[in-house]
Amino acid sequence: MEKTTENKKKSLSIFWDEFSRSNFLVIILAIFTGILLGGVLVAITTNEVYAAFRESIWSGLGAALRTAWNTYVALFTGSVGNPERIGLAFASGDQLAIRRAINPFFESLVQSTPYIFGGLAVALGFRAGLFNIGVEGQIFIGAATGVWAGYAIIGLPTIIHIPLAMLFGALGGALWGFIPGLLKAKTGAHEVITTIMMNYIAFRLVDWLLKFPMKDPNEFTPKTPWILETAKLPRLFDTPIRFHIGFFIAILMAVVVYYLLFKTTWGFELRMVGSNPNAARYAGVKITKTTILAMVLSGALAGMAGANEVLGVNYRLLPAFSSGYGFDSIALALLGKTHPLGVILSSLLFGFLRNGARSMQLAVGVPIDIVSILQAVILAFIAAPAIIRTIYRLRESKHKEDLVSLRSWKG
Amino acid sequence: MTTTTDAQIGQKSQGILKLERRRRITMGVLFLAAAVFIWLVFATDVEPGVETRFMMNPGGGSAEAADWVFQSLPYLNMIAGILGLLGAFQIIRGFGKYTYGVLALVAILFIFGFLTWATAGGQTNLAGLLRVMVVRAVPLTLGAMSGILCERGGIINIAIEGMMLTSAFVSTVFASLFNSLIVGLLAGIIAGGLMGLIHAWLSIKYKINQIISGTVINIFATGITSYLSSKYIQKVEFQYLNEPGMFPQINVPVLSKIPFIGPILFSHNMYVFAMFFFVILLTFMLFKTRWGLRLRSVGEHPKAADTLGINVHRTQYMAVILGGMMAGFGGTYFSLGSSGRFDEVMTAGRGFIGLAAMIFGNWHPVGSMGAGLLFGFFDSLSAKASLLQVPLPSEFIGMAPYLATIIVLAGVIGRGHAPAAEGEPYEKE
């Protein structure tokens, strides 16, 4: 009897031992700590909290907790939906009311979709030891080529038009990734700088395209024409739910990237170039080819993010249409440990946060930018697990915790 | 034994020689291409007898300085000829250590050729263009120098943008609160230094990849400044926190009265003069003092530096904090030097362009200022694109500096010019 409890205790402590060394726990704690700090920030920037503190410390602390709690409740109902409202809607049986009540959840998925594409793009680059900061520009170009295929190519059936328009988006992004890839492989020009430069070129090019060649002649301001019905990614529900099949395409791409990276020889070579280029060279891997191809695929995924937005959500291209998806993608890829499944999860997390934050801003007046702050803090914790391990007194990991292996400007 | 090592050394130096030769020829071809471009595109487009008129006074008018009028075609041919000669000499002999100076000359001549063509049959306010160029170069050059400080010590800094943005915000609030530009300036510099400290802490103590650490700071800075800005200083009841005022324009006695050059160089607010001052100071400190030698040795070969008794980590902390302060100073330019208020994301990517200017300028303060001026010029030109005689969209003029950066990075700099130990955390054995 005594022995079994001891055994049990022992096995429990072994479990805790293993668990506290795992990266998974660090991620959970990083997200938890980030959200906690976000709550603190919200509390210390609220006037009512200060007013309450003037009364007494306890009422001040209570007000602080209440403020943080209300904020996150608003965030939750904004991103998932209000459970009470959903229950009432289902009880009433009114179709429109039901759709309105569950809309926040699906809107969060819509918000997550470009993140998945973008996160995959950055993650694929990281696996090859490349830092693709150019996702933002590739998204712009992909959106431009995608929308062009959506309105300019006429007379196709939906079943061909949609894949073709997505392909155009992918090709546009791929071209924008190909140039830095080629320069990196052939001349050693560091991709961080070239992709930043390509971003600015893309912004200006798309500005120009919208003003002249692609401008809708019937409009006064720079906008493209609407895409044709046959190019629109089908929506799965009636208004107001905007959820469309782009989400499933994104998941499919994650599976494809997973298969490519971990189940094919080429993926193995790519990861080898990323983790140890010298070893890869001695093993006979063609570094030039792998580098270029990795950037092309990364750009193509980013281009699909752009195409997904114009074909699934906006149906036309407006100036400054991307709200920083490309830069967020960097954080998401790292948060997801550059693994396709991780990217999906982190994209969902931030899709929900960002969507929720919008209604939170309206409900409790906390600016949406809190999401960027959370993103940065969580990313810092995940990139430096030692901080989390110090705070929570966890044990050192047995594995090396290098997030990615990137080389400096020297290339 | 000795023979093999000798042979190896021979082989290695041969490789380096080959690389040098390739770089020399690439540069020469670039010069020749500029000459041919002027000849084929600009000169063929200009009718003989057409005149170019440059106004030499920023405010317009020709009272202080007479307009500069000349025949367009002969000038274009002359520029193309000079560029061709420079290119030929570069390919055959090479300019050696003067190569970068000659590159700057080629860039100036090419731009002059472009302007001559674009103004043919009309007029352009050259002085106004150059004056705005100097102003626009300020944040880029200061950002580049922040990068140089960090990277000469072996720490990559892509967080210049975030450091600048933070400092722009902090300086606005403090200057408004204390009703003092100096307090705002100091607060901004300290804020930049603190961001530098975070960057150093993450990348030296916790050995996070330096590019990721920089990304964290950039995202954080965008988030926190926008958050606090929309929570407070953009609201009416807190409007008094967003009225910092601006540094006044200083007209340097005597010098600002020189026609043409005076208004371009000597009649600005203090940021322009500070830029020149810091470029000279940093060049001197980096290359003429023991401090600079130590800093550079840490960036090139930390192990050797350590062996000689230099505290590598302390030097790096110092470099990154100083770099942050420099970016902080540059950040205050946006609020206290150019707009007199804070707006969300007001740095608009200038920090990244500063980074490009640093690389373009080969990790040297003077070179970076040259690159900053070049970028500033295109910035200034794209704002005036509609006034030119040629139908060139401002978007394409705006692209030029980025294209130029890519070309120079790929063709001329490529690998190997950055501090050798950059990006790798140093671990003492």
Side-chain angles (χ1 to χ4, degrees), chain B residues 24 79 129 149 169 241 257 373:
Chain B
R24 194 187 82 213
I79 293 166
L129 214 54
L149 274 164
F169 177 82
L241 286 177
K257 293 280 176 285
L373 287 169

Side-chain angles (χ1 to χ4, degrees), chain B residues 105-246:
Chain B
L105 181 69
V106 168
I108 292 170
L109 282 174
F110 183 79
I111 289 171
F112 185 69
F114 167 80
L115 278 181
T116 305
W117 165 68
T119 313
Q123 57 179 16
T124 297
N125 191 338
L126 185 66
L129 214 54
L130 294 181
R131 189 182 145 76
V132 176
M133 163 185 90
V134 173
V135 174
R136 298 276 168 100
V138 168
L140 310 181
T141 308
L142 292 173
M145 282 196 288
S146 161
I148 290 172
L149 274 164
C150 298
E151 305 215 346
R152 285 285 183 176
I155 306 287
I156 294 176
N157 182 10
I158 67 163
I160 301 167
E161 175 84 4
M163 294 169 173
M164 283 186 158
L165 192 58
T166 313
S167 138
F169 177 82
V170 171
S171 64
T172 304
V173 171
F174 273 80
S176 313
L177 213 55
F178 291 93
N179 205 8
S180 154
L181 290 169
I182 299 296
V183 172
L185 183 70
L186 290 177
I189 293 173
I190 292 170
L194 283 177
M195 295 309 262
L197 179 64
I198 295 175
H199 184 47
W201 190 59
L202 288 175
S203 57
I204 299 171
K205 173 141 195 251
Y206 287 103
K207 297 188 173 55
I208 298 190
N209 181 295
Q210 292 157 11
I211 298 178
I212 293 172
S213 161
T215 309
V216 167
I217 291 178
N218 283 335
I219 299 176
F220 182 74
T222 315
I224 194 88
T225 54
S226 302
Y227 179 91
L228 293 175
S229 163
S230 53
K231 186 97 193 174
Y232 296 108
I233 68 174
Q234 307 290 356
K235 287 193 175 149
V236 184
E237 64 264 37
F238 290 105
Q239 193 59 52
Y240 66 90
L241 286 177
N242 200 3
E243 286 162 353
M246 267 164 73

